[in-house]
Amino acid sequence: MSSGLGRTVIVVLDGFGVGAMPDAGVLRPGDLQADTCGHVLDHCARALGRPLHLPALGKLGLGLVHPHRDLARSTPLPVAAGRAALGYPGADTFAGHQTMMGADFSKVTVARLAEHLDEVSAALRAAGHRVELLDGKPLLVVDGSVLVHDNLEADPGINWNTSGRLEDFPFASILSIARTVRTVAPVARVIAVGGHATAPLATYVREGDASTIGLDTPASGFYRNGGLEVQHLGAELDHTRQLPSLAAAAGIPVTLVGKAADILECEAAVRRPAVPTAEVLAHTLEAARRPGLTVANVQETDLAGHQQDVRRFGEVLEEVDAGLLELLSLLDSPRDRLIVTGDHGNDPTIGHAYHTREYVPVLIHRPGAAGVELLPDAGSLADVGATAAVALGLDPGGLASGLALHSTPVGS
C-alpha cells in the first residue's frame, strides 16, 4: 500500500504456549512442566523423522522467544519478538481474547459453584424460581429439572453451566435462568446449554477435578442427539473500551475471523466464523488485502491439544505457517503489522485434556523497521492489544487495560 491506513492483522494460535507461568502448578503441580511449543516440536520430530517445517514462525522470531534446535535462531525480517503472561486467572479462550482486546479482567476469578451457592440460590429465588440442592451435592436444581453446575469441560472453576433438557423447558427459559446466575457469578463465563437427553440430567452428574461437580455433557447425549442450543454469557465488560470497538469508532474497518467472530463484541465488525484452519486462513488473507484491523483465531491447534493429539497439533502448525508466509508477503507497508500470539497453552503431552497456564509468544512483523528487537515479557495479553492500537494510530489509553510494548534492539 502506498498511502492511507495500514493493515494490522492479529493471528491467535489458540492453545499455543511457550512454557509454564510460575503459578501454573497451583491446580496441577505437573503443569509446571508444560511447554506446548517445545513438546510438540520434540514429539513431531520423533514421529515424523524430520523437524516440523515452520519457516514463517522462524522468520517471525519464535526461536528467539523459545530457543529450540528445530527453530531458526535468527531472522532477516524486521520483527519484534517476546512473550506475554496471560493477565487473567486460569487459562481460557474467552478470557484470553477479551483480555487481549483490552478488557480489564481484574474482577474475574476462578471459583467453584460450591463457594457461591448461597448468593446464586438467593438470586434465583428472588427471580421467582424454585431452587434445591441435588441430593445434598453442591449443584443446584432449578424449577425441578434445570441444573446449575460447574463446567467439567474447561479447567475447574473457569466457567459455570446452566443446563436443561429441551424436553422439559424451552431454551429461552434455560437462558433466562443463566442470565440470573450471571448477575452474581464471579467467573468468566456462564454457559446456557439446552439439548436432548433420554434420561433426567441428574443421571449424568459426576465429580470433576478439584472438587467440582456437574453435568457430564458428552455422556448426556446433548452433543449427539441434535438440536443443541448454547449461549455464552461473559463477565460484564465495557466492550467500547476494547480494540475492535475502539478501532471501529475511529472509522477503521474491523474483521473478526474464526472463533474471534463468535466471542468478541463489535457491532460494526465483519464476521467470518470458521473452524477449519484452511477457511480461517482464507478469510484472514482476504481481509488483510484491505486496510483495517483483522483479528483471527486458529482453533484447530486448541482442538488438537484437547484431543491430546500431538501429531495433529504439528500438522495444524505447518498449515498455519504456510498461511503466515502469505501474510508476510502481503503485509509489506511500513504501516502494516502482523502480530502472531496465543491465548493460553494446551500441551497435548501433559497427561490431561485441559488448557495449560503458559506464557504465549508475541511475534510482530514491522515492515520498514530497523533490524530485530526483543520485547520484555508483557505482564498481560492486554499489552498485545495496546501495541496493536498504536500500530493503528489509536491512543491505547482508550482501552480498559494494557500498555504498548517497547522493544530493545538485539545486541544493545
Side-chain angles (χ1 to χ4, degrees), residues 180-267:
T180 299
V181 175
R182 175 72 274 176
T183 64
V184 293
V187 296
R189 274 183 288 178
V190 173
I191 306 173
V193 185
H196 295 287
T198 55
L201 293 188
T203 307
Y204 308 105
V205 168
R206 66 169 176 84
E207 293 183 0
D209 291 347
S211 300
T212 54
I213 187 166
L215 177 69
D216 186 335
T217 306
S220 74
F222 274 12
Y223 295 149
R224 62 179 182 272
N225 290 338
L228 181 69
E229 295 192 59
V230 179
Q231 187 160 333
H232 297 259
L233 306 178
E236 184 176 350
L237 303 171
D238 184 354
H239 295 293
T240 66
R241 299 193 64 192
Q242 289 185 281
L243 182 62
S245 294
L246 193 69
I252 298 171
V254 177
T255 304
L256 304 175
V257 179
K259 197 169 184 178
D262 297 326
I263 60 178
L264 294 178
E265 293 287 338
C266 178
E267 288 188 8

Side-chain angles (χ1 to χ4, degrees), residues 120-139:
V120 175
S121 298
L124 288 166
R125 290 188 178 109
H129 296 287
R130 178 165 53 91
V131 183
E132 56 193 330
L133 295 177
L134 177 65
D135 299 328
K137 299 171 183 173
L139 177 149

